[in-house]
């Protein structure tokens, strides 16, 4: 098995994954750029909450120089550039004018951001990667041990719109989930290989361990409640998370327009950051054999999310998609009650996680939207499709208020184990 660990470890490393932390990558996010040339970007990110609060962001952005990305040293610096520029662009679009969103992004932000996105293989919008995966720092790490990933009080954001601990929690509860679930990736890849070798003992052990890890992942979601007020999220933070797709009613008839230094304008309509852009759960769904039925609409939404994942993560999922699922192996071993029990327990824990996720979405999106419905039923229905926990495809927009929770419930209900297949 040692050579398989090495082989799978190489596959993970090749796609920017870490055997311990999964899609969080083996290298901690950079807190600043090495080259002083990018000092203005660092300062802008640090000052962003105050610039928004004092309504000085527009003047600040106007004074920013147009910087060349060729001095970025490595992929970690490209990821930092993506975070910094993504936050500045979303703040500019949604917060630099009291009269409404600004559709035009000036060259000093637009040009380097588009180049960085191309380098990383991500869509030109602030997605889950920039909000979550590459946007955390450990506070007081010298006092922490190396064995466990730090908990919520020991994490802070590298970029923020409000500078609040509530906003930190909104990004970092998913970080905790990703970190907790990170070891699942190598473990389940090994289990798939073991299944090919008909090693039922290893597969069962891997499923039992996976069940425990999934259970621990579920314990992180409720931690958000103590830090993040639902009204604060819905009314103050959520607006910054929107993309340019489906935002015509809010004034973005052309989506977000990126202006280059040569005067060229590029109209881009992307969805905003979404938890559905996490690569961890598509990985788990495939390896465990969860099938999302029905619906061309549902399939198109799941596929659309792939474009917002980092290119390397997307390529990793494409590789995984060619592998057989563990469900097929368990079905062929219907005489083995132990392995079937381990598999079903694993699926039950994943289903339970999805149930807790629905509760989070309900608290922070559905309930505040209903409370706001007295202002305008149409606006409240539209608002249900915004924010990190929303699936903002145009396919869902017509029935957004009714479809969001049922969509997530169906994903939960499709996470089912196997019936008793014994032939006794």
């Amino acid at each position: 098995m040692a050579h398989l660990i090495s082989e799978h470890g190489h596959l993970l490393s090749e796609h920017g994954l870490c055997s311990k932390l999964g899609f969080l990558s083996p290298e901690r996010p950079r807190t600043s750029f090495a080259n002083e040339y990018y000092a203005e970007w660092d300062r802008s990110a640090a000052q962003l909450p105050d610039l928004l609060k004092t309504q000085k962001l527009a003047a600040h952005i106007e004074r920013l120089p147009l910087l060349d990305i060729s001095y970025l040293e490595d992929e970690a610096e490209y990821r930092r550039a993506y975070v910094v520029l993504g936050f500045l662009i979303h703040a500019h679009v949604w917060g630099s004018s009291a009269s409404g969103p600004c559709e035009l992004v000036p060259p000093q932000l637009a040009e380097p951001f588009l180049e960085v996105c191309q380098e990383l293989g991500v869509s030109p919008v602030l997605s889950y990667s920039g909000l979550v995966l590459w946007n955390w720092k450990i506070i007081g790490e010298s006092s922490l041990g190396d064995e466990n990933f730090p908990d919520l009080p020991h994490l802070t954001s590298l970029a923020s719109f409000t500078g609040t601990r509530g906003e930190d929690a909104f990004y970092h509860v998913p970080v905790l989930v990703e970190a907790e679930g990170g070891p699942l990736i190598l473990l389940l890849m090994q289990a798939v290989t073991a299944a090919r070798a008909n090693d039922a003992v290893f597969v069962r052990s891997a499923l039992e361990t996976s069940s425990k890890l999934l259970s621990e992942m579920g314990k992180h979601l409720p931690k958000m409640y103590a830090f993040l007020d639902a009204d604060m999220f819905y009314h103050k933070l959520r607006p910054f998370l929107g993309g340019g797709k489906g935002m015509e009613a809010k004034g973005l008839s052309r989506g977000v327009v990126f202006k280059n230094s040569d005067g060229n304008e590029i109209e881009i309509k992307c969805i905003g950051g979404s938890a559905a852009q996490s690569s961890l759960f598509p990985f788990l769904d495939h390896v465990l054999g969860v099938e999302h039925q029905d619906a061309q609409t549902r399939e198109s939404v799941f596929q659309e999310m792939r474009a917002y994942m980092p290119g390397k993560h997307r390529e990793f999922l494409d590789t995984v998609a060619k592998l057989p699922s563990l469900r097929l192996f368990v079905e062929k071993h219907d005489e083995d009650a132990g392995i079937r029990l381990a598999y079903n327990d694993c699926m039950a824990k994943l289903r339970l996680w999805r149930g807790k996720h629905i509760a989070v979405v309900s608290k922070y999106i559905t309930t505040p939207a209903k409370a706001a419905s007295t202002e305008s039923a149409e606006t409240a229905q539209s608002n249900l499709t915004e924010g990190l926990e929303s699936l903002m495809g145009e396919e869902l927009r017509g029935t957004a208020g009714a479809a969001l929770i049922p969509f997530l419930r169906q994903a939960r209900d499709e996470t089912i184990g196997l019936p008793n297949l014994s032939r006794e």
Side-chain angles (χ1 to χ4, degrees):
M1 185 61 72
H3 73 285
L4 292 178
I5 293 176
S6 175
E7 178 185 327
H8 293 316
H10 177 71
L11 178 66
L12 267 59
S13 176
E14 192 177 54
H15 290 91
L17 279 71
C18 171
S19 60
K20 184 176 180 182
L21 298 178
F23 293 99
L24 290 177
S25 85
E27 188 176 9
R28 291 182 187 176
R30 296 286 172 83
T31 59
S32 62
F33 296 101
N35 195 324
E36 184 68 20
Y37 177 74
Y38 299 107
E40 275 299 327
W41 287 0
D42 279 332
R43 281 193 287 269
S44 297
Q47 296 168 8
L48 185 56
D50 286 335
L51 290 169
L52 284 166
K53 194 180 302 182
T54 57
Q55 299 183 333
K56 294 179 180 178
L57 179 64
H60 178 85
I61 288 176
E62 193 174 342
R63 292 192 299 268
L64 283 178
L66 173 58
L67 301 182
D68 185 343
I69 70 165
S70 64
Y71 299 108
L72 295 172
E73 293 189 349
D74 53 21
E75 186 172 336
E77 287 213 332
Y78 274 96
R79 292 195 291 262
R80 173 154 179 82
Y82 173 77
V83 172
V84 169
L85 294 170
F87 268 83
L88 289 172
I89 287 170
H90 277 245
H92 167 74
V93 171
W94 297 109
S96 63
S97 172
S99 60
C102 299
E103 69 172 10
L104 190 67
V105 180
Q108 58 268 36
L109 295 179
E111 203 160 288
F113 186 64
L114 291 175
E115 292 172 354
V116 165
C117 288
Q118 185 173 10
E119 181 71 23
L120 294 172
V122 295
S123 295
V125 69
L126 184 59
S127 66
Y128 181 86
S129 299
L131 294 165
V132 174
L133 298 182
W134 304 333
N135 187 29
W136 56 274
K137 174 187 173 183
I138 299 175
I139 305 170
E141 58 184 305
S142 59
S143 63
L144 298 172
D146 293 329
E147 291 186 12
N148 298 314
F149 195 80
D151 208 348
L152 213 51
H154 295 284
L155 294 173
T156 188
S157 300
L158 298 176
S160 172
F161 298 109
T162 65
T164 62
R165 291 300 287 162
E167 183 177 357
D168 285 345
F170 189 66
Y171 305 145
H172 297 152
V173 165
V175 167
L176 296 180
V177 172
E178 295 276 352
E180 195 76 61
L184 284 169
I185 300 170
L186 179 58
L187 177 64
L188 289 173
M189 292 290 285
Q190 292 167 355
V192 170
T193 301
R196 284 174 156 177
N198 204 33
D199 186 348
V201 174
F202 185 91
V203 172
R204 175 178 174 176
S205 174
L207 288 170
E208 290 171 345
T209 301
S210 296
S211 180
K212 294 174 184 175
L213 287 171
L214 286 164
S215 181
E216 291 302 310
M217 285 165 58
K219 293 178 182 178
H220 294 303
L221 288 175
K223 293 178 180 179
M224 194 179 297
Y225 300 151
F227 289 86
L228 181 60
D229 176 76
D231 286 335
M232 180 273 180
F233 164 74
Y234 188 79
H235 294 288
K236 294 183 179 179
L237 176 57
R238 173 192 56 84
F240 289 111
L241 306 177
K245 186 173 182 179
M247 293 295 178
E248 291 81 4
K250 293 186 177 293
L252 299 182
S253 59
R254 302 165 65 195
V256 176
V257 182
F258 290 81
K259 186 173 183 178
N260 284 324
S261 54
D262 61 5
N264 249 350
E265 293 184 356
I266 304 172
E267 299 178 10
I268 294 176
K269 294 186 177 183
C270 291
I271 67 167
S274 167
Q277 294 159 2
S278 166
S279 301
L280 177 59
F281 291 93
F283 168 81
L284 293 173
D285 280 348
H286 179 76
V287 173
L288 294 174
V290 177
E291 294 185 1
H292 295 295
Q293 301 288 345
D294 177 21
Q296 184 179 353
T297 295
R298 291 176 58 74
E299 276 307 308
S300 66
V301 170
F302 284 121
Q303 286 305 312
E304 185 181 11
M305 295 304 110
R306 296 287 183 100
Y308 297 91
M309 298 172 185
K312 288 184 177 181
H313 295 180
R314 191 164 57 247
E315 290 167 7
F316 176 75
L317 292 180
D318 289 342
T319 299
V320 171
K322 298 172 185 175
L323 303 175
S325 75
L326 293 174
R327 187 182 187 94
L328 297 174
F329 179 79
V330 176
E331 284 177 329
K332 291 177 182 177
H333 289 72
D334 58 304
E335 77 289 346
D336 189 333
I339 197 170
R340 189 167 62 253
L341 179 64
Y343 175 80
N344 284 346
D345 188 54
C346 205
M347 294 293 276
K349 295 299 194 303
L350 180 56
R351 180 187 175 99
L352 182 61
W353 188 94
R354 286 186 156 136
K356 291 182 177 182
H357 179 235
I358 290 170
V360 171
V361 174
S362 180
K363 177 178 176 64
Y364 289 104
I365 298 179
T366 310
T367 301
K370 288 179 180 177
S373 64
T374 54
E375 299 173 16
S376 164
E378 182 180 347
T379 300
Q381 186 172 352
S382 171
N383 283 347
L384 279 174
T385 61
E386 298 172 21
L388 185 61
E389 295 300 339
S390 154
L391 306 171
M392 291 175 57
E394 286 183 333
E395 306 91 340
L396 302 178
R397 197 162 276 281
T399 55
L404 177 58
I405 295 297
F407 185 97
L408 297 175
R409 282 178 180 155
Q410 186 169 344
R412 177 200 63 193
D413 294 344
E414 289 164 345
T415 307
I416 52 176
L418 291 167
N420 190 331
L421 298 176
S422 174
R423 297 191 182 103
E424 294 178 10

